[in-house]
Amino acid sequence: MSHKEKHQTVDAEADNTAAATQAHQPEKAEAGQVNLSEEELVALCKAHVCVKCAVMAEAEDVKLRALADNENFKRRIQRETEEVRRYATESVLADLLPVLDNLGLAIEHAGDAPACKNLVMGVDMTRKIFLDTLKKHGLECVGACGEAFDPNVHEAIGTVCEPGQSEGCVAKVAQSGYVLKGRVIRPAKVMVNKTTDA
């Protein structure tokens, strides 16, 4: 085979290989067309078309409102949980108040009888220890003679005229009141001083 014939054979094989390769490749996009994946199309839509789209704006508004509602709900639950934790002992402490009342009545009715002196002293010490223990849990006694009448913590059951005391102050305490961490468990029942008109 001559050199010229060999060269023609090589050229023919190269043309066949190129034709076969082109047959297996997908057709190239025509000029001016761009092939994009689904993700790329969505990203382009969001960046250029959806910015001005009313549906997108409404969906964004709904999303923001839902996020705000969710934050408000979280804060409300947190506040309610904190309040439950803060006042968890309220019912138990309220049930113990009659015990304090009875200890006070025992001291009051014993009077100055010499035979009861030691017993009264023991009851008084018990009552003070009991009050100190309740105070550690946030319970405080309210309602004392001479303090200004406050309808938030006092319940007026009548008026009296006590010389030497100012108008509208607590003259007598019929029953002590109690406050737990700022919340009134039981208002103090008091007699309010009212000066007589001249």
Side-chain angles (χ1 to χ4, degrees):
M1 185 182 287
S2 69
H3 180 69
K4 188 176 181 180
E5 287 173 339
K6 281 183 182 178
H7 186 66
Q8 285 175 346
T9 306
V10 169
D11 284 346
E13 285 176 2
D15 287 344
N16 289 340
T17 305
T21 305
Q22 192 172 9
H24 287 346
Q25 287 181 346
E27 292 181 20
K28 289 186 179 177
E30 294 178 20
Q33 285 187 344
V34 179
N35 285 336
L36 297 174
S37 67
E38 187 71 26
E39 292 82 14
E40 290 169 329
L41 280 172
V42 170
L44 278 172
C45 177
K46 282 184 180 176
H48 298 286
V49 179
C50 291
V51 174
K52 298 167 189 161
C53 176
V55 174
M56 178 67 174
E58 187 180 343
E60 189 68 20
D61 187 49
V62 169
K63 181 182 92 172
L64 290 174
R65 271 189 272 131
L67 286 171
D69 287 345
N70 189 38
E71 281 302 311
N72 291 336
F73 177 73
K74 278 185 194 173
R75 281 195 212 103
R76 191 173 73 246
I77 291 296
Q78 191 173 359
R79 276 196 310 270
E80 288 172 1
T81 305
E82 186 61 35
E83 190 167 332
V84 166
R85 191 180 300 121
R86 186 176 172 85
Y87 299 108
T89 58
E90 183 177 349
S91 61
V92 175
L93 295 177
D95 289 343
L96 293 174
L97 297 185
V99 178
L100 276 172
D101 294 338
N102 289 330
L103 290 172
L105 287 172
I107 295 165
E108 188 182 325
H109 287 294
D112 296 328
C116 298
K117 186 177 177 185
N118 290 336
L119 179 63
V120 171
M121 192 184 297
V123 172
D124 190 39
M125 286 175 64
T126 303
R127 184 175 183 275
K128 283 177 182 171
I129 292 169
F130 194 20
L131 272 171
D132 288 343
T133 304
L134 295 178
K135 200 169 191 177
K136 288 177 186 173
H137 293 277
L139 189 75
E140 291 183 19
C141 185
V142 292
C145 290
E147 67 185 22
F149 177 78
D150 181 358
N152 295 314
V153 293
H154 299 135
E155 180 185 335
I157 58 172
T159 58
V160 290
C161 179
E162 287 287 335
Q165 291 194 12
S166 57
E167 174 87 16
C169 74
V170 174
K172 289 182 181 176
V173 179
Q175 186 182 52
S176 294
Y178 294 93
V179 175
L180 175 65
K181 297 175 183 174
R183 180 188 285 183
V184 177
I185 291 183
R186 186 179 79 185
K189 293 182 179 177
V190 299
M191 301 287 281
V192 182
N193 196 49
K194 182 173 174 61
T195 56
T196 54
D197 294 326

